[in-house]
Amino acid sequence: MTQNVTEIMNDIGVKAKVANARLSTASNEEKNDALNSMADQIEKDQAKILLENKKDIEIAKSNDISSAMIDRLSLNETGIKNIASSIRSVAKLNDPVGRILDSWDRPNGLHIKRVSIPIGVIGIIYEARPNVTADAASLCLKSGNASILRSGSDSFHSSFAIYESIKNGLKTTSLDDNSIQFVPTKDREAVGLMLGGLNSNIDVIVPRGGKSLVSRVQNEAKVPVFGHLEGICHVYVNADADIEKAIEVTANAKMRRTSICGAAETLLIDKSIYKDYLPKILAKLDSLGCEIRGDLDVKSVFADAKEISEEDWSTEYLDAIISVKVVADIDEAISHIKKYGTGHTEAIITENETSAEYFFKHVDSSIILLNASTQFADGGEFGFGAEIGISTGRMHARGPIGLEQLTTFKYTVYGNGQTRP
């Protein structure tokens, strides 16, 4: 079995590299035609995709998967339309390939340009969200990169059905239909082979899933990785916050969708206002079904709060639970974020511009918001059309990984017979 998986994966890697040679030079019109064909086919295959999704949900329920995970897994007619719409929105974006990023002239007469180009072959390893199949495939294709998709076992049937639609859509276009490939096995050996680079045929790995998956990818990958380990996001309510904004933003940041990496896991609030503000904020969260965990200060104004532990501060709940802490001031809030945060997304609620800028300067997460929900940590909300994931790394891509982040660059140098002395 292991030998068969190795043969399958090596064949996928070779086909991806061949397809990428064609895709990397495809015109914007060719790529857009392919994307629109993919979207059309997904809508045509709606019934089949939903039937396969039902299989995944039934298996998940029989395995006692959490409700939060089932929420990530579930599709409906609206979801299928949204997937197709997301692909079409990517087609409408400007081509990220071939952009002149900078240009300059040298004293010797050389004219130099820095030009954006595709990265190459991108391997995406993801878990329970079947829509990632379409998001990743469309972003990679638009940016001129071949993609190898490996879904989690929980979403295997749904993801494979979406992939088959994508593949059939591609077959009607001028592009190589191996520009997008799907790992056709649940065998974990396939992941290890991808992390090894498939004989140097994979250029970048993007993990999208839980801590155990991302940790394995980061520890074992022999090729560069774009990704984040956890999304422990904070909302800090500053002494100069507007109470209504504090209530609504905190509630949305935590409860809009608790299962996404941009959901707030910790609420910090200044000591000077907590007795007035905190009961109102927590009452709103409680009314939405959120469990409150806090220390004695928190329990003094919200009796139903559960006792918090040290472990809570570094826990990504992905559920209707929030940790709450009263801090002395903005510096203590920043210190807490630096100690327990994962560099993903933080928000400050304040009407004080100086405090906001101080927070922006001293917090080093990939996304920082003023008076807005952490759930805006999303490529679509940033105007990227969609995202392949969120990166908290410091090299190349950081924050939502959209089209621009899926390109690198080369230098083109124009001379007229110059030689170097």
Side-chain angles (χ1 to χ4, degrees):
M1 180 63 185
T2 301
Q3 183 60 39
N4 288 339
V5 172
T6 300
E7 291 175 358
I8 290 169
M9 295 306 297
N10 286 340
D11 183 57
I12 287 175
V14 170
K15 288 178 178 177
K17 188 63 76 173
V18 171
N20 184 247
R22 167 73 178 92
L23 179 59
S24 64
T25 60
S27 68
N28 191 41
E29 290 72 22
E30 287 178 305
K31 291 185 288 188
N32 290 345
D33 178 57
L35 289 166
N36 287 318
S37 294
M38 288 159 49
D40 291 344
Q41 193 64 48
I42 284 173
E43 288 186 328
K44 290 177 184 177
D45 295 340
Q46 174 181 282
K48 176 186 174 182
I49 295 170
L50 292 179
L51 185 63
E52 294 301 300
N53 183 244
K54 186 177 180 180
K55 291 180 184 178
D56 284 331
I57 292 172
E58 289 173 352
I59 294 171
K61 289 180 177 178
S62 68
N63 291 332
D64 293 324
I65 300 296
S66 71
S67 58
M69 293 300 291
I70 290 176
D71 175 61
R72 286 186 170 201
L73 178 62
S74 299
L75 293 173
N76 53 30
E77 292 183 5
T78 300
I80 299 297
K81 290 179 181 178
N82 288 341
I83 289 173
S85 176
S86 180
I87 294 174
R88 292 190 182 103
S89 71
V90 172
K92 294 175 182 177
L93 296 172
N94 293 330
D95 192 342
V97 178
R99 294 180 300 126
I100 299 174
L101 305 175
D102 199 1
S103 65
W104 60 96
D105 294 308
R106 297 293 295 146
N108 59 8
L110 290 177
H111 180 63
I112 303 174
K113 294 181 182 179
R114 186 163 66 239
V115 184
S116 63
I117 61 171
I119 290 174
V121 177
I122 299 179
I124 302 96
I125 304 170
Y126 55 103
E127 293 184 327
R129 287 186 182 171
N131 65 292
V132 174
T133 304
D135 287 347
S138 59
L139 285 170
C140 287
L141 188 139
K142 178 75 176 189
S143 55
N145 298 290
S147 56
I148 299 173
L149 312 174
R150 203 283 184 178
S151 80
S153 57
D154 291 337
S155 63
F156 185 84
H157 294 94
S158 310
S159 297
F160 188 69
I162 293 170
Y163 165 72
E164 285 188 313
S165 297
I166 287 171
K167 184 88 167 178
N168 289 332
L170 271 179
K171 286 179 178 178
T172 67
T173 73
S174 61
L175 299 181
D176 187 334
D177 62 0
N178 288 317
S179 297
I180 301 168
Q181 296 182 84
F182 187 89
V183 176
T185 175
K186 297 180 183 180
D187 195 316
R188 289 174 61 86
E189 177 66 17
V191 174
L193 292 166
M194 289 181 69
L195 298 182
L198 298 183
N199 297 319
S200 300
N201 284 318
I202 291 181
D203 296 289
V204 171
I205 291 284
V206 181
R208 185 162 177 176
K211 183 176 181 179
S212 60
L213 167 66
V214 180
S215 180
R216 180 189 178 189
V217 170
Q218 292 178 338
N219 289 332
E220 298 181 19
K222 302 295 192 298
V223 295
V225 175
F226 295 162
H228 71 275
L229 191 59
E230 291 178 287
I232 300 178
C233 306
H234 299 77
V235 174
Y236 164 53
V237 181
N238 176 254
D240 297 311
D242 176 275
I243 182 59
E244 294 303 323
K245 290 179 185 177
I247 293 170
E248 295 306 317
V249 170
T250 304
N252 184 268
K254 175 72 257 186
M255 297 301 293
R256 173 187 166 270
R257 288 192 69 184
T258 61
S259 62
I260 66 173
C261 60
E265 305 293 14
T266 298
L267 169 64
L268 306 172
I269 186 168
D270 276 348
K271 194 173 187 68
S272 62
I273 60 168
Y274 89 98
K275 290 183 179 178
D276 292 328
Y277 280 39
L278 199 53
K280 298 173 184 177
I281 297 171
L282 299 186
K284 177 70 172 183
L285 289 168
D286 182 63
S287 72
L288 296 172
C290 184
E291 178 183 309
I292 313 298
R293 297 184 184 179
D295 58 15
L296 292 177
D297 284 334
V298 176
K299 292 172 73 69
S300 72
V301 296
F302 194 81
D304 291 336
K306 294 189 176 182
E307 189 71 29
I308 198 159
S309 68
E310 176 66 21
E311 184 182 0
D312 283 306
W313 302 123
S314 54
T315 298
E316 184 182 30
Y317 299 118
L318 299 175
D319 203 349
I321 305 169
I322 193 166
S323 301
V324 185
K325 182 177 184 179
V326 177
V327 294
D329 52 27
I330 191 170
D331 286 313
E332 187 180 347
I334 292 169
S335 294
H336 181 97
I337 292 169
K338 286 183 177 180
K339 181 176 182 179
Y340 297 103
T342 55
H344 194 291
T345 301
E346 329 297 348
I348 178 174
I349 314 300
T350 187
E351 299 301 303
N352 187 315
E353 183 177 337
T354 300
S355 294
E357 292 303 322
Y358 185 85
F359 190 81
F360 282 3
K361 181 177 180 178
H362 290 87
V363 174
D364 193 30
S365 295
S366 63
I367 304 169
I368 312 172
L369 305 106
L370 167 63
N371 294 330
S373 171
T374 58
Q375 301 230 357
F376 282 108
D378 176 88
E381 295 298 328
F382 275 42
F384 295 173
E387 69 177 30
I388 202 171
I390 300 281
S391 174
T392 55
R394 295 179 180 276
M395 301 299 290
H396 184 72
R398 200 170 193 219
I401 302 173
L403 291 177
E404 182 179 339
Q405 291 74 29
L406 292 176
T407 62
T408 183
F409 57 82
K410 65 182 177 183
Y411 293 98
T412 57
V413 183
Y414 301 79
N416 188 29
Q418 289 92 335
T419 59
R420 184 171 177 178

